[in-house]
Amino acid sequence: MTIGTHTLDIVMVGRSILSSARNPVAELYRGLINELAHHGHRTTYLEPYDFGGIAHRDMLRSPYCEVWTYGDVDTLLEEYLPAIQSADLVLLASDVPETNRIAQWICAEARGITVYYDTDLARTAHVLASLEACSNCLSRCTIGAFQLYLSTTGGPALNELARNYGLQHARPLYESIDPFAFYRMDIERSYDLGFLGNYKAERSELLDNLLIQPARTTPNRQFVVAGDSYPDSQAWPHNITYLEHLPGTNHVDFYNRQACSLVLGRNDRRQLGYTPSRQLLSAAACGVPVLTAPWDGLDDFFEVKRELFCVDGEQDVLDVLYGTDEATRRKVGSYARARVLASHTTSHRAEQLLGYWQEVAD
């Protein structure tokens, strides 16, 4: 059996794919499913019915897969058993309510390849190491039952997890972007530097060093921050524009209005390394020069100084913004965009998933 001659029936169980407000990784699954459909494969997506979440949906229905809902896990296990048993590939997404119970059911009943896709390896590793109770995480007994363990984090952290818990096949399946959603626009650059991300206390000091302080140092320049819940935004200097809520449909415009874009992932993911964020890939795909704090494995995804800038403090930021000529910055942005289009699109990830399926099936 080869992928090229066989249409796969795929079942995925995850958080809502119809609401990116309720599910931070909805776009990841939408892109993956869309590309699988372009390859000729059929996907059925099972998600818990959210009685209060319909108003938050930004997609009424998926054009590339069937979306079935279930009211509770008992209903899932009873009504969708035939779908699980007939699928060529059954994928369980991380952070689903009653993850462990669903995982045990899938691994016991599925006849095709079983896959767990972990989009928060930092939390998984912490929960397993500390033996904390977590309804949305796998247990030590269940994690090794899947034939294929995928993660948006690669490198040593994934390898260590595989060794510690006897994972049969542990492979990275990194974040990706749709090149038709993130692209270069010929519009006015309104800001010298911008940042997109909700407030997180653990990275507030880093944001202060790499954007707030540079803004104070250069009051005649323009900066922008977009994201929810910043408690001290009123104390920011006047040359920082604060956008408390920015819809996803406006992200491409937001990136293209910046001369440079600051990208800071979550602290735990930067500590693990080997975790390119969607924000990093999105900004790079727009051709905007990216500044980021260094993390292990970064040079596996982008060539530092050629495709992006690493910054450790305020002076590094000022050196890039005002000590590097515009032509050089534009070239860096162009090289980063080319790298994303060559290696980090949803099409690449779908092909990798199919390759992993073939590896296990053989």
Side-chain angles (χ1 to χ4, degrees):
M1 181 187 296
T2 63
I3 296 174
T5 59
H6 181 69
T7 297
L8 297 182
D9 282 311
I10 301 168
V11 173
M12 297 185 182
V13 183
R15 295 172 62 186
S16 177
I17 197 176
L18 300 177
S19 173
S20 58
R22 297 279 177 154
N23 181 11
V25 294
E27 292 291 346
L28 182 155
Y29 284 97
R30 291 173 184 175
L32 196 59
I33 290 169
N34 292 355
E35 290 298 334
L36 290 169
H38 291 156
H39 282 77
H41 304 300
R42 295 185 293 264
T43 300
T44 301
Y45 194 91
L46 310 180
E47 63 176 59
Y49 185 79
D50 184 355
F51 293 93
I54 294 178
H56 296 277
R57 287 180 177 175
D58 51 350
M59 179 185 284
L60 296 178
R61 61 183 297 273
S62 170
Y64 296 105
C65 72
E66 292 190 53
V67 179
W68 299 347
T69 60
Y70 57 91
D72 53 46
V73 175
D74 288 334
T75 302
L76 169 68
L77 272 55
E78 180 180 348
E79 293 190 1
Y80 297 130
L81 178 60
I84 295 295
Q85 291 179 328
S86 63
D88 297 292
L89 185 153
V90 181
L91 184 150
L92 175 61
S94 59
D95 203 29
V96 177
E98 297 194 57
T99 292
N100 209 53
R101 185 181 175 198
I102 298 172
Q104 292 172 339
W105 172 66
I106 288 174
C107 293
E109 300 293 347
R111 298 167 185 169
I113 303 301
T114 57
V115 183
Y116 185 76
Y117 192 10
D118 193 344
T119 55
D120 196 347
L121 191 69
R123 189 184 68 159
T124 299
H126 173 74
V127 169
L128 291 173
S130 63
L131 296 178
E132 290 182 358
C134 177
S135 63
N136 293 8
C137 293
L138 294 179
S139 69
R140 288 187 171 193
C141 298
T142 307
I143 189 171
F146 287 90
Q147 293 165 282
L148 177 59
Y149 193 101
L150 301 177
S151 173
T152 50
T153 294
L158 182 58
N159 295 336
E160 182 179 2
L161 193 79
R163 287 194 304 270
N164 290 344
Y165 301 103
L167 307 187
Q168 299 178 49
H169 296 85
R171 302 288 185 270
L173 194 68
Y174 299 113
E175 289 270 13
S176 60
I177 58 94
D178 179 352
F180 295 102
F182 293 96
Y183 45 85
R184 195 196 309 269
M185 298 170 65
D186 186 17
I187 58 177
E188 179 184 356
R189 302 296 188 262
S190 305
Y191 306 103
D192 291 85
L193 183 66
F195 174 77
L196 173 63
N198 295 332
Y199 173 77
K200 295 188 181 300
E202 69 270 14
R203 72 178 174 201
S204 60
E205 182 179 355
L206 193 59
L207 181 63
D208 187 76
N209 291 336
L210 301 181
L211 189 143
I212 310 300
Q213 290 300 333
R216 288 196 177 97
T217 303
T218 56
N220 59 327
R221 305 287 186 158
Q222 296 301 313
F223 298 77
V224 61
V225 173
D228 297 338
S229 306
Y230 282 89
D232 56 350
S233 59
Q234 304 235 344
W236 289 350
H238 66 87
N239 57 333
I240 297 179
T241 299
Y242 176 41
L243 306 174
E244 188 168 2
H245 179 68
L246 188 71
T249 51
N250 291 1
H251 286 186
V252 63
D253 180 83
F254 177 77
Y255 286 125
N256 274 279
R257 292 194 180 279
Q258 302 167 38
C260 290
S261 188
L262 176 66
V263 178
L264 302 173
R266 278 173 31 187
N267 277 12
D268 54 1
R269 296 184 184 183
R270 286 191 292 106
Q271 289 165 4
L272 289 181
Y274 298 87
T275 311
S277 68
R278 179 175 171 80
Q279 287 86 350
L280 175 62
L281 300 177
S282 300
C286 291
V288 57
V290 171
L291 283 65
T292 188
W295 40 270
D296 287 345
L298 176 59
D299 52 4
D300 281 13
F301 305 96
F302 293 96
E303 185 177 340
V304 177
K305 294 185 179 179
R306 185 176 187 270
E307 296 171 337
L308 54 64
F309 299 100
C310 272
V311 289
D312 277 321
E314 177 186 355
Q315 189 56 53
D316 290 340
V317 173
L318 297 177
D319 287 345
V320 174
L321 296 184
Y322 314 122
T324 305
D325 63 87
E326 184 178 353
T328 298
R329 292 201 307 268
R330 284 182 173 273
K331 189 178 295 185
V332 167
S334 295
Y335 285 147
R337 173 172 163 76
R339 182 69 173 263
V340 171
L341 297 182
S343 305
H344 301 298
T345 67
T346 50
S347 178
H348 292 106
R349 298 297 180 257
E351 291 172 2
Q352 287 173 338
L353 175 59
L354 294 173
Y356 293 150
W357 176 87
Q358 185 75 72
E359 178 185 353
V360 177
D362 287 345

